[in-house]
Amino acid sequence: MKKMVLHLVSDLNKALVIKAQIKCPHIHFHIEEECGAFNTSILWMEVLTRASAICIKEGSCVVSYNDPSRHKDTLSDEDIKFLQKMQVHLSEKMNGIEVVNK
């Protein structure tokens, strides 16, 4: 089985360099400053789900992000339960993928 690596990079330029060096797909996303805690969590899980699928298919993926959000809200108990269910599915998909933070 080939090694699967997901590169998480907070700098777009650095992400593009990594993409060029290892010749792999790249996902970039931006979270708006006004984005709340729930929507930010959903967005992260969706991006990581897509990136894990790419890693499984291609072997590696670079994800760059810009997250200036200011979580002024809190998650409700219902939100937390929903996100925990999503986290279980994401964890299953990410099994065997090495995550590298740069």
Side-chain angles (χ1 to χ4, degrees):
M1 177 163 43
K2 65 182 175 180
K3 182 176 179 180
M4 297 177 289
V5 181
L6 172 60
H7 299 269
L8 286 178
V9 187
S10 62
D11 181 301
L12 177 58
N13 291 325
K14 187 183 280 188
L16 293 173
V17 169
I18 294 168
K19 173 189 174 182
Q21 287 175 342
I22 62 177
K23 296 177 177 40
C24 70
H26 171 236
I27 298 171
H28 179 77
F29 71 103
H30 174 83
I31 298 174
E32 296 293 329
E33 188 172 333
E34 300 82 25
C35 193
F38 181 77
N39 288 336
T40 298
S41 299
I42 292 290
L43 182 57
W44 267 104
M45 286 194 206
E46 177 61 26
V47 169
L48 291 174
T49 298
R50 291 178 186 201
S52 63
I54 291 170
C55 285
I56 291 167
K57 182 179 178 187
E58 303 287 333
S60 61
C61 180
V62 179
V63 173
S64 59
Y65 59 92
N66 183 14
D67 184 358
S69 61
R70 309 282 183 261
H71 305 288
K72 297 175 184 168
D73 60 340
T74 57
L75 296 171
S76 69
D77 288 343
E78 185 178 307
D79 291 344
I80 292 169
K81 288 177 186 175
F82 178 79
L83 292 170
Q84 286 173 333
K85 288 179 186 176
M86 288 187 70
Q87 178 64 39
V88 168
H89 295 294
L90 177 58
S91 294
E92 290 170 358
K93 291 177 182 185
M94 300 269 315
N95 188 31
I97 299 173
E98 176 185 356
V99 178
V100 178
N101 288 302
K102 296 197 176 191

